[in-house]
Amino acid sequence: MLSLSVNGESHAVDVSADMPLLWVLRDVIGLTGTKFGCGIAQCGACTVHLDGQSVRSCVLPVGTIGNKAITTIEAIGNTPDGQKIQRAWLDVDVVQCGYCQPGQIMSATALLKRSPNPSDADIDAAMSRNICRCGTYVRIRAAIKQAATGKLEALQTVVTSPEGTEP
């Protein structure tokens, strides 16, 4: 029997120590906001926080967590940075299909926590391991900037011709 602190609540779970945290969260505890994407820690859909740090829950054995606090998408809005990110996500209209968004929001919130005013390079580095099949990367960056600064920036994209030059 393992004891986990998830979103501020204690959970006793009777699972194998090598079971990935993702499946404990979804199938044992019943928190389905964290998504399965690739199963090899490459897409970011399964991102949660472990003591405030972004981790990929699909490959994290639950037995390695110990006394660390787990925060999932269900509770990230209870933190100041999580509130800012969620508000910006709505203001900028980031979501298309929505499947990757829990992981995107978790990674963005961890970024703001460690870097309250991130540069474009900081955002790109922090979010590079989160894949969005809908391609909302420009909106994700704009939402993170808005959450950091409180200002909504105009979305800008550069359209290029097939030859690689601007029309």
Side-chain angles (χ1 to χ4, degrees), residues 19-20 55 81 99 117 141 160:
M19 180 181 237
V55 296
D81 289 328
Y99 195 82
N117 193 17
R141 181 188 289 164
T160 58

Side-chain angles (χ1 to χ4, degrees), residues 6 8 14-15 19 26 34 41-42 62-63 76 90 96 118 126 131 133 145 148-149 151-152 157:
V6 182
D14 188 13
V15 298
M19 180 181 237
R26 291 183 59 81
T34 305
Q42 297 299 304
V62 71
I76 200 64
L90 293 172
Q96 285 188 26
I131 296 171
R133 294 192 69 161
K145 285 183 169 193
T149 65
K151 299 175 189 167
L152 181 60
T157 57

Side-chain angles (χ1 to χ4, degrees), residues 56-113:
R56 302 299 198 245
S57 64
C58 71
V59 295
L60 181 64
V62 71
T64 65
I65 294 171
N67 295 325
K68 295 178 181 168
I70 302 161
T71 305
T72 68
I73 190 67
E74 287 87 354
I76 200 64
N78 297 335
T79 68
D81 289 328
Q83 288 173 3
K84 288 179 196 175
I85 288 291
Q86 287 180 334
R87 169 67 13 221
W89 242 245
L90 293 172
D91 290 348
V92 178
D93 208 15
V94 170
V95 180
Q96 285 188 26
C97 84
Y99 195 82
C100 72
Q101 296 308 303
Q104 299 278 0
I105 288 169
M106 296 303 289
S107 292
T109 302
L111 168 62
L112 278 191
K113 184 177 174 92

